[in-house]
Amino acid sequence: DQPLGSFFGRYKKDSKLPSAILDYIENIYKKRNTEPLAGHGNLKEPEITKEQAIVLAEMTKAFLRIERQLFNITYPKKEKDGV
């Protein structure tokens, strides 16, 4: 088990996303680490709004779809015996 922070340096190196987007993702992760969320055992209200949470969730899904497509372009599957 490793936290995302230790994983992120490698991810930035391997990712095909623009560096500005990667910086944005990393900044959100750092902010999330300071939010009083249940995952951190804190019962205080977080400062993040529901609207911000929705944007982050939808952007995360979009980033994953983009990464998958860029990966498939970079490393296309080889056809097997004419299939």
Side-chain angles (χ1 to χ4, degrees):
D1 283 323
Q2 291 183 338
L4 180 61
S6 63
F7 158 83
F8 205 76
R10 171 72 189 265
Y11 175 68
K12 284 178 87 168
K13 180 178 171 243
D14 294 341
S15 177
K16 302 293 182 195
L17 291 173
S19 60
I21 291 176
L22 294 170
D23 292 342
Y24 175 77
I25 293 169
E26 187 172 30
N27 287 334
I28 292 298
Y29 173 74
K30 289 176 183 175
K31 180 172 173 36
R32 179 202 157 277
N33 248 1
T34 63
E35 285 289 311
L37 301 169
H40 294 137
N42 198 324
L43 300 177
K44 293 179 184 175
E45 288 288 320
E47 293 179 17
I48 188 170
T49 66
K50 287 183 181 182
E51 291 83 1
Q52 289 171 319
I54 290 169
V55 168
L56 291 174
E58 294 304 316
M59 288 178 70
T60 300
K61 293 179 213 175
F63 292 155
L64 290 172
R65 286 190 301 266
I66 293 166
E67 286 279 25
R68 186 179 310 120
Q69 289 181 16
L70 292 173
F71 180 86
N72 289 338
I73 289 170
T74 305
Y75 306 102
K77 293 180 183 179
K78 294 181 181 178
E79 294 185 25
K80 296 181 183 177
D81 299 325
V83 177

